[in-house]
Amino acid sequence: MARYWLKALVGVMLLGMGTVAPSYALDERAFKQLAAEDNDARIAALNKIVADGDVAVIPLLKELRDGLLGVTAQGQLVTVTDEGVVKDASTGASVNATSDDVQSIVVNNRLRGAIDAALAALRLSAPDRATRLAAAREISTDADEEMLPLIHRALAKETDAEVKNLLAQAEAIIHLKSPDAAARRAAVGVLGQSENPNTRQTLAALLEKRPDGTYAEPDATVRVAAQKAIHAIEQRLIFPRLIGTLFSGLSLGSVLLLTALGLAITFGLMGIINMAHGEMLMIGAYTTYVVQTLFRSYLPGAFDFYLAAAVPAAFLVAALVGIALERGVIRFLYGRPLETLLATWGISLMLIQLVRMLFGAQNVEVANPSWMSGGYALAGGVVLPYNRMVIIVFAALVVAAVWALLSRTRLGLYVRAVTQNRVMADCMGIPTPRIDWLTFGLGSGIAGLGGVALSQIGNVGPDLGQHYIVDTFMVVVLGGVGQLAGTILAALGLGEVNKFLEPYSGAVLGKIIVLVFIILFIQKRPQGLFALKGRTAEA
């Protein structure tokens, strides 16, 4: 039986190496222990298998992790494929046995974690820097004492500074369990140079008190060193966390700006409370979903460019819906804000139900193009996602386009004239009814662009617009009715304030605090941050 185990082992390692056999002899008893019931014995056996750090055992470990390895009644190590075919693990030849004749080597969560850590340790010998870096990151979060020889060898030949730093941290985490207080103190000093937030938790665990009143770390000098290390880590993480919070606030403010920009224009022009404005966001998001689906079906090779088609499509669809809403309902309700509010609220419910009938009640997923996936990693685990960077730039471009339209075109001149004094503009020959529906279509189209942005940072559902309508009105009221500059400042300001309040008060209480602040602000300055300039017909 021992001969079968040894042959199987050598065969698997030959498969892993490709042509030559490994340069060490593996203890065949380690394989037998992998099928034992004692988890400690199985992990000890696994550590023996990877002790020499030969990458030849990687294929074997992957098969073990995936639950493909088993043992026949004759003691032969075999692989059982997903189709139930039994093959010799050493040669790949078919074995005259069925899957029922094979005793699988069961892999529980603990052993699976140990296998992943062992694979990461073995990948430290890979020639590719990205592979070694990923392996070092895995080991630094789940290091084991048996990996010390592998880590030492990797440190001795590693030339990349980031990989060496992670390996040194992994080594220090292992040394925290040393019986020697000096070794633990030195390990704390190494960990104090880390920028990983998880390292702070590791050090904080040393300062915890047990129920009997003793500390987890018995040595007082080590505890003092741990306190200093935690303080040093927190000081280094202040700036990256500040940048991350500012970025998150800017990202949220950009989304609020896209949702509120159109409403600020229409609210200032017509003085109506459009409760269906949030559904224009939802329509833009679902238009993006439809365009994405069409590209997947008919232009899969150009999928990364589907947003170039989704942006104008979402604007056009939302604008047409807005024009239909203004021509069909709202134009009959000018001067009656309460009836307009109730009517648009009913229309919002109808649009939500229509979308549910067309696309279902469940959320749909809109995937990011490959160039918007991932993010830029800062120190301390802070990541700035690429999709939110694109949304910030997109919001800035939309604001620039709206500003150019309102300040540099005849339509913008008419809109500003009607906003300041509708009666006088009508007397001057400006076609106010046409300006109304054009502006309402413009505002709805901008909301559709906001839906495109929202589709890139979360799932799309029929209730998407309902989540933003209150925040949108808060931005408009705070910034000043019809004021582009006020809308920009209010949106970005609310975004930043919300993100800075969330760590201390939570998301819900933070919104309540913001709402109370806006109510108090409006009591003192009803016109908002910026008031309209000009004379009204009533003056």
Side-chain angles (χ1 to χ4, degrees):
M1 182 178 296
R3 190 164 53 252
Y4 283 112
W5 280 102
L6 191 56
K7 286 183 178 179
L9 171 63
V10 173
V12 171
M13 287 190 291
L14 281 172
L15 289 174
M17 293 296 290
T19 55
V20 296
S23 59
Y24 68 98
L26 189 64
D27 187 354
E28 63 186 73
R29 291 176 296 178
F31 274 106
K32 296 180 181 179
Q33 289 294 330
L34 289 177
E37 296 183 1
D38 184 6
N39 282 329
D40 292 334
R42 300 172 75 188
I43 292 178
L46 177 65
N47 291 330
K48 288 182 179 180
I49 292 175
V50 300
D52 287 339
D54 198 307
V55 295
V57 299
I58 289 180
L60 176 64
L61 293 180
K62 288 182 178 180
E63 290 183 350
L64 176 64
R65 180 192 58 191
D66 297 337
L68 301 178
L69 288 183
V71 182
T72 64
Q74 293 76 28
Q76 183 180 8
L77 189 68
V78 295
T79 300
V80 182
T81 65
D82 294 336
E83 293 79 16
V85 179
V86 181
K87 295 183 178 180
D88 188 287
S90 62
T91 64
S94 298
V95 176
N96 187 19
T98 64
S99 57
D100 295 334
D101 301 328
V102 178
Q103 177 187 356
S104 298
I105 299 178
V106 179
V107 179
N108 55 24
N109 290 335
R110 183 183 174 191
L111 183 59
R112 185 175 291 106
I115 294 172
D116 290 336
L119 286 171
L122 290 171
R123 288 199 298 272
L124 291 174
S125 302
D128 180 45
R129 186 254 183 191
T131 302
R132 299 197 312 275
L133 180 61
R137 284 173 176 163
E138 290 183 34
I139 290 175
S140 65
T141 59
D142 189 18
D144 199 328
E145 187 175 358
E146 285 77 7
M147 297 181 188
L148 274 176
L150 291 173
I151 295 175
H152 289 159
R153 281 196 294 269
L155 274 171
K157 62 182 180 181
E158 183 59 59
T159 57
D160 185 83
E162 186 175 2
V163 177
K164 290 188 72 171
N165 186 38
L166 289 170
L167 291 175
Q169 292 174 28
E171 184 182 37
I173 291 175
I174 296 173
H175 285 158
L176 284 179
K177 303 174 185 178
S178 171
D180 183 14
R184 298 198 303 273
R185 191 163 51 250
V188 168
V190 173
L191 294 176
Q193 306 300 317
S194 172
E195 295 179 346
N196 188 345
N198 295 329
T199 304
R200 184 192 179 282
Q201 299 176 5
T202 302
L203 294 173
L206 301 177
L207 306 178
E208 293 179 356
K209 275 191 175 182
R210 299 191 180 99
D212 59 0
T214 61
Y215 285 96
E217 169 52 55
D219 190 88
T221 60
V222 177
R223 293 198 300 270
V224 171
Q227 290 175 337
K228 292 181 179 179
I230 291 173
H231 179 72
I233 292 174
E234 290 177 343
Q235 291 298 311
R236 281 197 302 275
L237 293 181
I238 287 177
F239 184 71
R241 286 175 176 171
L242 177 62
I243 295 298
T245 303
L246 289 173
F247 177 82
S248 298
L250 183 60
S251 173
L252 176 60
S254 299
V255 172
L256 291 177
L257 178 58
L258 287 172
T259 59
L261 196 57
L263 185 62
I265 296 172
T266 56
F267 192 28
L269 179 72
M270 305 171 185
I272 62 171
I273 302 175
N274 180 17
M275 295 299 294
H277 185 78
E279 278 51 62
M280 303 301 141
L281 294 170
M282 179 258 294
I283 289 173
Y286 271 100
T287 302
T288 307
Y289 169 72
V290 172
V291 172
Q292 170 200 256
T293 303
L294 293 175
F295 266 71
R296 275 181 172 166
S297 300
Y298 301 104
L299 295 171
F303 180 78
D304 280 348
F305 305 98
Y306 83 87
L307 281 180
V311 168
F315 179 87
L316 182 61
V317 173
L320 291 176
V321 174
I323 292 173
L325 175 60
E326 194 279 335
R327 290 286 84 189
V329 177
I330 292 178
R331 71 187 179 105
F332 301 108
L333 301 175
Y334 287 141
R336 292 181 284 180
L338 181 59
E339 294 181 20
T340 305
L341 184 150
L342 294 175
T344 54
W345 181 49
I347 291 172
S348 73
L349 297 178
M350 294 170 60
L351 291 174
I352 291 173
Q353 188 58 37
L354 177 62
V355 168
R356 284 175 177 162
M357 293 170 58
L358 294 175
F359 298 97
Q362 301 297 322
N363 291 345
V364 297
E365 182 182 0
V366 179
N368 292 138
S370 61
W371 52 274
M372 286 179 64
S373 302
Y376 180 76
L378 298 178
V382 177
V383 178
L384 309 183
Y386 292 140
N387 57 352
R388 291 188 177 270
M389 292 183 186
V390 173
I391 289 174
I392 292 172
V393 175
F394 179 64
L397 293 176
V398 171
V399 169
V402 172
W403 175 83
L405 178 67
L406 294 179
S407 61
R408 303 296 182 184
T409 65
R410 181 177 294 271
L411 174 61
L413 178 64
Y414 287 170
V415 169
R416 287 184 282 124
V418 174
T419 301
Q420 292 181 15
N421 195 318
R422 174 179 290 272
V423 176
M424 185 60 70
D426 200 14
C427 293
M428 295 295 293
I430 295 177
T432 53
R434 188 172 69 180
I435 297 302
D436 286 340
W437 66 260
L438 282 174
T439 306
F440 205 89
L442 173 64
S444 299
I446 294 172
L449 296 180
V452 177
L454 287 174
S455 70
Q456 299 302 303
I457 58 177
N459 290 329
V460 175
D463 299 326
L464 175 66
Q466 298 294 309
H467 299 154
Y468 289 91
I469 189 64
V470 175
D471 290 338
T472 301
F473 273 107
M474 286 197 299
V475 170
V476 173
V477 172
L478 180 62
V481 175
Q483 292 297 305
L484 184 61
T487 303
I488 296 172
L489 288 179
L492 298 181
L494 288 180
E496 294 291 354
V497 169
N498 270 303
K499 288 302 179 183
F500 273 96
L501 285 177
E502 280 182 9
Y504 306 101
S505 61
V508 176
L509 184 57
K511 286 184 178 294
I512 295 174
I513 294 174
V514 171
L515 179 59
V516 171
F517 166 76
I518 292 176
I519 292 173
L520 296 176
F521 180 84
I522 296 301
Q523 294 297 316
K524 295 294 184 181
R525 189 176 175 84
Q527 68 270 33
L529 292 173
F530 295 90
L532 281 174
K533 296 180 180 180
R535 292 171 294 179
T536 64
E538 292 79 18

